[in-house]
Amino acid sequence: MSHHSYIHDISRQTITVEGKTYHREEILSIPDRELKEFLEEWFNEKEFVEVQTSGSTGTPKRIKAGKKEMMNSASMTCNYLELKQGDTALLCMSLKYIGAKMMVVRALVAGLNLLVREASGHPLENISVPIDFAAMVPLQVYNSLQTKEEKEKLKQIRNLIIGGGSIHKTVEEGIRDFPYAVYSTYGMTETLSHIALRKLNGPDASGFYTPFKGISLSVTEEGTLVIHAPPTLFTTHPNKRSGRY
């Protein structure tokens, strides 16, 4: 698996949207406003972007996510899923949150062709091309399973990751016989998206999450989960030097 095609030098990155490639100087002509705003922040001089936490584990707050660490996280996912330049990635979640921002960073780092659809309950409604990689929340997957046409499109996604909430048994049962890989993700805003995946379908489907290489988990006496990770991955936390979260 080659790592060489992934671009970590922001000044050399381009973004391909719906098959059209934009250089840094051309991002203002990108039609989607949210994407344009995020890319303006990505290409500015700062070493971080501001991210809104989801509020699932406390009051929502804004935190700073390091661009280098976001690129490291993006490479980890792209390597694991063997994504390569020109692969089609579907962005169908709100760019307010880390999950969508990371989809854009993966596209920047790996040269993916980004299809942008407004965050909605039916993200596949207006899709007519094959998709190599998509990230959705459980409700989007559930809704897509309800109509024959959308279920067929969902089935053909080569790598589907589901995050941002727990996955209901009916969803797991609905995707169990899908021909391509479907994963549930484990992570949070502070870990810059996911740090572990659980395969939901096929012969290697599992009830357990497997952390990415270099990440390990432990539990304290109080029952709190501790994520041990190299400091090159996360800089959004005060305890970043030890790599413990």
Side-chain angles (χ1 to χ4, degrees):
M1 206 185 304
S2 167
H3 298 231
H4 301 305
S5 56
Y6 295 161
I7 299 172
H8 280 230
D9 177 352
I10 292 178
S11 67
R12 288 178 49 234
Q13 288 173 347
T14 59
I15 187 82
T16 302
V17 184
E18 313 278 343
K20 184 176 179 186
T21 301
Y22 298 84
H23 291 267
R24 184 180 189 159
E25 308 75 43
E26 301 168 320
I27 55 172
L28 288 175
S29 56
I30 291 173
D32 188 87
R33 185 183 56 82
E34 270 199 334
L35 178 59
K36 190 162 42 186
E37 283 172 7
F38 173 67
L39 288 169
E40 283 185 84
E41 189 179 11
W42 181 258
F43 284 115
N44 71 21
E45 297 309 307
K46 292 179 180 169
E47 292 183 356
F48 59 86
V49 296
E50 289 214 355
V51 183
Q52 175 82 36
T53 65
S54 64
S56 56
T57 55
T59 312
K61 57 185 185 291
R62 292 191 74 73
I63 59 174
K64 291 175 180 176
K67 291 176 184 175
K68 272 186 193 160
E69 290 72 25
M70 290 173 83
M71 289 188 285
N72 290 339
S73 173
S75 292
M76 202 163 61
T77 300
C78 292
N79 270 319
Y80 188 87
L81 300 176
E82 299 187 23
L83 299 173
K84 60 190 188 308
Q85 188 174 359
D87 280 352
T88 300
L90 175 63
L91 173 65
C92 59
M93 301 186 299
S94 168
L95 269 162
K96 283 191 188 81
Y97 300 110
I98 191 70
K101 289 182 196 292
M102 286 304 299
M103 283 300 283
V104 179
V105 177
R106 291 170 197 134
L108 288 159
V109 164
L112 308 177
N113 175 26
L114 206 58
L115 300 185
V116 184
R117 295 293 180 272
E118 197 177 340
S120 80
H122 290 271
L124 298 172
E125 228 169 7
N126 303 312
I127 294 287
S128 55
V129 296
I131 296 168
D132 296 299
F133 177 42
M136 295 184 189
V137 297
L139 183 63
Q140 290 175 317
V141 178
Y142 175 80
N143 288 345
S144 300
L145 287 169
Q146 305 312 306
T147 78
K148 194 180 172 191
E149 197 186 334
E150 287 174 39
K151 182 180 177 178
E152 203 45 50
K153 291 177 187 178
L154 193 68
K155 219 176 191 169
Q156 295 310 316
I157 296 172
R158 200 161 58 83
N159 291 284
L160 173 62
I161 60 175
I162 309 170
S166 57
I167 297 172
H168 197 270
K169 267 207 282 278
T170 54
V171 170
E172 280 208 43
E173 282 157 15
I175 53 96
R176 191 156 286 151
D177 62 344
F178 275 22
Y180 299 113
V182 185
Y183 298 95
S184 171
T185 66
Y186 176 81
M188 60 198 87
T189 308
E190 290 83 352
T191 61
L192 306 179
S193 190
H194 50 261
I195 50 107
L197 297 176
R198 176 167 77 89
K199 186 88 185 294
L200 295 176
N201 65 327
D204 51 347
S206 170
F208 301 98
Y209 288 87
T210 304
F212 283 132
K213 197 176 175 186
I215 292 173
S216 62
L217 309 171
S218 65
V219 179
T220 64
E221 284 176 19
E222 297 82 31
T224 308
L225 180 72
V226 180
I227 301 168
H228 305 266
T232 52
L233 273 181
F234 315 136
T235 56
T236 52
H237 195 284
N239 199 11
K240 65 184 178 187
R241 292 189 190 282
S242 67
R244 282 181 54 151
Y245 296 86

